Amino acid sequence: MHPKRLRKKIWQPKKTCYNSQVVYKIRTALWPDKKGEYMSKDMNENWKSDEQRAERKERLQAQKTADGGKKKIRKTFNLRNFLIIVIIIAAILGLCVMGLINSGYKEKHQVAALVNGKYEVTPLEMNYTLGSSFNQMFRTSAFHVDGKSMLVNPQLDPEAQSLRPLRDILIDNFGKSASQTYAVYDQAIQAGYEIGEKEHEAFNRFKQNIEMSAAQQQMNPNHLLSLLFGRGANFKSLQPILERHFLAARYQLDTQNAYEFTDAEYDAEYEAHPELYDYVSFHAFGFNNATPDRDNSLDEDTDKPESDQAEEETAEDENAQKAEQAADLEDEDAETKETEAEESEAERNARLNAEALTKAQAMADASTSFEKFRHEAMAYTLAEDRHLLEDEDATLVKRAKYTDLSPSFSAWLFDAAREEGDTTVISDNGRHSVLYFVSRDRDEARTYSSRHILIRDKSLEEGAEAEAKAAAEKILDEYNAGDKTEEAFAALATQYSQDPGSKDQGGLYEDTQPGRFVKAYEEWCLDPARQEGDVGMVRVEGEESGGYSGYHIVYFKGLGESVWKTQAKQAMARQKFADALKAQEDSYSFEPREDSMSLVLPIDQAALESVRESIQDLAKSVQEEPSEKPGDAETAPGEAEAASTTEAEAPQEEESSAQK
């Protein structure tokens, strides 16, 4: 046999046990120059084997009893190893628990409240609903540090007429609204409604809005959801919750739209709440700490004397007044410089605020006509800004609704005793508004419905407008080449429109009130010559729309009821539906589970209990205080307290993707 083959067979035996002496002889025969090395190695291996064999015999002998039997094996307990194993297992379990907590497992699956024993509401659903309400009220997240501190703050509970932590008030309100929601949801199921395509589309729009917002803030969408609605909030966990809410809302809207009312019912509703269906027009001019002093030089061109003698007397009087004013101004400047050097920032702001209020009151007193109101507005405006007031409508607020204004504005403007030419000053937070009343009328303007396809300019670069126009004209040509029906237009809107607010509804906006859409769009729709089924293209610029430029391809569906009747029907339908629902609300009331409520709007429980105790202590101290006897504190005649007012900004047009 060849040596190489023999070597391979020796080194790769087929599980054959060779005697060490035989192996030694073969190795020395093949490699005689390594005889000493192999001898030493084999001998060492033999000696080692003999030693191991002897040790094994001793161990076996030690395990036998005196009569040759086998001893019982004695188990030993190693405390150190046991503790290490326990610590490792505990660490693994801790990581699993933390993973479940951070994923919001308890919020998603642990029951927080029951509805009539039929529907279960998880902490996640409560956090979604309450988180949405909190965000709308305070423009911040209830799960952020700032939001959590606000949840602990005492607030006045309107129903209990007492102070309570904001978190307690919100949770109580959730119980009432949720019982209504589930009562409506149950009615929808009984009426044969099922979660379907409309609910899926509504959820997809919600998902798109979240993804768009997350992209703008450069964060993961699920992370944004957890910031808004707490742990466990993601698209998968929120979808069944939102779709239930969408189904209930669809059933309620369908039911309310099916209601019919008589003319007598409309008239009775208007008589009961006329302020809700009227609108007012008024002029407004604001004063603040930065408003300049009145420019008296503008008075020289007004109210000229009719006779020469009167002119001379007036000129003398004016010269004397100017001299006195100049001297007074010098004294005032000196005093102001000394005062400003001594007063603090807070004192300075208070002084300037008082001066602004004095100016506003002076303007209101002088505005005995619109011409004088406009003249006074010019006089209190810097010369370089007066061109902004050249248009008589520059200060005019048109078609303002009661709910569009602040309570202080609405209370004065919608007072039944208000007449044209009335003026007042409404103050709030360092701003003082002079109002000049013009008119109040019932809103007889008719609503209108339309579909549209929005094509935006892709950029502000040159040529973007032409590109958008070409794309819009191509879509319009496609419509004109087809059936030219509303259904065909809706299909094109779903395919091409860049308005996410109406794209999935075929570009539809129904019962739009005048003043809600951009001017160019609305003027086209409300053209007296407009006919149902008309289609046209409208250009909208960024300044008018509030952010975008582009083209609207518009399909006009037609005019609807008057605005006031549309609003009255909605109000009466909501009330009728609510009245029918009240009989069932009690059977859908919540039974909260206290062990789960800590997961709802989670905050520092110790801080919450501390606030509750302080509120109770305050209530006790108020009850224990002795009441004053009649006559102990009298108000001097004429010293009536000034009612606090809240300033309102001029009402702004509502914005939507299809509007602005």
Side-chain angles (χ1 to χ4, degrees), residues 9-201:
K9 191 170 185 63
I10 292 171
W11 289 108
Q12 297 181 3
K14 295 182 179 178
K15 298 184 180 180
T16 303
C17 181
Y18 292 96
N19 186 283
S20 60
Q21 295 295 329
V22 175
V23 174
Y24 170 72
K25 290 179 181 179
I26 294 174
R27 285 178 176 174
T28 54
L30 293 174
W31 298 284
D33 55 329
K34 295 186 178 182
K35 181 177 180 181
E37 178 182 343
Y38 292 134
M39 182 183 293
S40 175
K41 183 176 180 181
D42 291 338
M43 290 176 68
N44 288 337
E45 290 179 353
N46 290 334
W47 293 337
K48 187 174 181 181
S49 298
D50 293 340
E51 291 176 358
Q52 292 175 347
R53 192 176 297 108
E55 290 176 358
R56 184 170 178 272
K57 286 181 178 181
E58 290 179 4
R59 288 198 306 273
L60 293 174
Q61 188 63 34
Q63 293 176 3
K64 293 181 179 180
T65 59
D67 58 357
K70 188 175 181 181
K71 290 182 178 180
K72 293 183 179 181
I73 298 175
R74 184 180 178 184
K75 297 180 180 180
T76 59
F77 179 75
N78 192 323
L79 179 61
R80 178 174 176 272
N81 292 342
F82 175 76
L83 291 176
I84 291 174
I85 293 172
V86 170
I87 291 172
I88 292 173
I89 294 174
I92 294 173
L93 289 175
L95 290 174
C96 294
V97 171
M98 288 301 298
L100 289 174
I101 291 174
N102 291 332
S103 67
Y105 179 85
K106 294 179 70 177
E107 285 84 348
K108 289 185 285 187
H109 300 287
Q110 186 169 344
V111 176
L114 297 178
V115 184
N116 194 28
K118 185 175 183 179
Y119 295 106
E120 297 180 350
V121 180
T122 63
L124 175 61
E125 182 169 352
M126 297 182 71
N127 284 336
Y128 164 75
T129 306
L130 295 174
S132 301
S133 301
F134 192 92
N135 187 280
Q136 291 176 359
M137 287 189 293
F138 303 108
R139 293 292 184 265
T140 187
S141 172
F143 306 93
H144 188 265
V145 176
D146 295 338
K148 290 182 178 181
S149 63
M150 295 173 67
L151 288 170
V152 181
N153 290 340
Q155 300 286 337
L156 179 64
D157 187 346
E159 292 192 8
Q161 287 299 309
S162 61
L163 290 176
R164 298 178 63 200
L166 177 60
R167 179 178 179 270
D168 293 351
I169 299 174
L170 291 175
I171 289 177
D172 283 354
N173 290 338
F174 169 82
K176 297 169 187 175
S177 64
S179 62
Q180 295 174 357
T181 299
Y182 274 90
V184 175
Y185 176 74
D186 202 35
Q187 287 185 12
I189 297 300
Q190 293 175 11
Y193 278 62
E194 294 181 354
I195 293 176
E197 192 62 31
K198 291 186 178 181
E199 284 67 42
H200 298 331
E201 290 176 357

Side-chain angles (χ1 to χ4, degrees), residues 214-436:
Q216 292 172 351
Q217 301 179 52
Q218 298 181 345
M219 67 172 64
N220 183 279
N222 283 333
H223 179 57
L224 177 59
L225 288 173
S226 66
L227 292 177
L228 293 173
F229 311 122
R231 287 186 308 208
N234 54 54
F235 292 129
K236 183 178 179 180
S237 62
L238 288 175
Q239 183 169 357
I241 296 173
L242 268 66
E243 289 183 347
R244 282 199 301 272
H245 286 235
F246 293 148
L247 178 65
R250 176 161 67 94
Y251 171 77
Q252 180 174 346
L253 185 61
D254 290 348
T255 304
Q256 291 177 176
N257 288 339
Y259 290 147
E260 296 291 342
F261 300 99
T262 64
D263 291 340
E265 288 176 312
Y266 279 110
D267 293 339
E269 174 65 16
Y270 178 79
E271 292 297 329
H273 309 286
E275 69 281 356
L276 298 180
Y277 308 114
D278 290 349
Y279 66 84
V280 294
S281 297
F282 62 97
H283 291 273
F285 187 82
F287 289 79
N288 55 31
N289 291 358
T291 301
D293 291 332
R294 188 178 189 281
D295 186 355
N296 297 323
S297 64
L298 294 181
D299 297 339
E300 295 178 359
D301 298 331
T302 61
D303 299 331
K304 292 185 178 180
E306 296 179 359
S307 63
D308 296 339
Q309 183 178 1
E311 288 181 1
E312 293 177 1
E313 292 176 354
T314 302
E316 291 177 359
D317 292 341
E318 289 180 352
N319 291 334
Q321 289 178 359
K322 288 180 181 179
E324 291 178 2
Q325 289 173 357
D328 291 340
L329 286 174
E330 291 180 1
D331 295 338
E332 288 178 4
D333 289 341
E335 292 177 1
T336 300
K337 290 179 181 179
E338 293 178 2
T339 303
E340 289 179 351
E342 297 175 357
E343 66 185 355
S344 65
E345 183 68 19
E347 292 172 337
R348 178 177 178 275
N349 289 335
R351 176 176 57 81
L352 292 175
N353 183 54
E355 292 176 0
L357 177 58
T358 301
K359 296 173 186 176
Q361 193 60 59
M363 176 179 174
D365 294 340
S367 300
T368 55
S369 66
F370 171 65
E371 290 73 18
K372 290 185 178 181
F373 175 91
R374 188 161 176 262
H375 175 76
E376 291 297 314
M378 288 283 191
Y380 284 106
T381 302
L382 294 173
E384 58 268 27
D385 295 330
R386 286 174 189 157
H387 66 281
L388 300 174
L389 300 179
E390 290 178 357
D391 185 351
E392 291 188 358
D393 290 345
T395 58
L396 180 63
V397 179
K398 296 185 292 186
R399 300 181 60 84
K401 307 290 288 187
Y402 187 91
T403 53
D404 292 338
L405 304 169
S406 72
S408 55
F409 272 51
S410 295
W412 186 82
L413 289 166
F414 284 87
D415 190 326
R418 195 62 51 231
E419 295 181 355
E420 183 179 0
D422 288 353
T423 59
T424 192
V425 177
I426 295 180
S427 304
D428 183 54
N429 295 330
R431 184 176 176 84
H432 313 282
S433 299
V434 179
L435 304 186
Y436 182 92

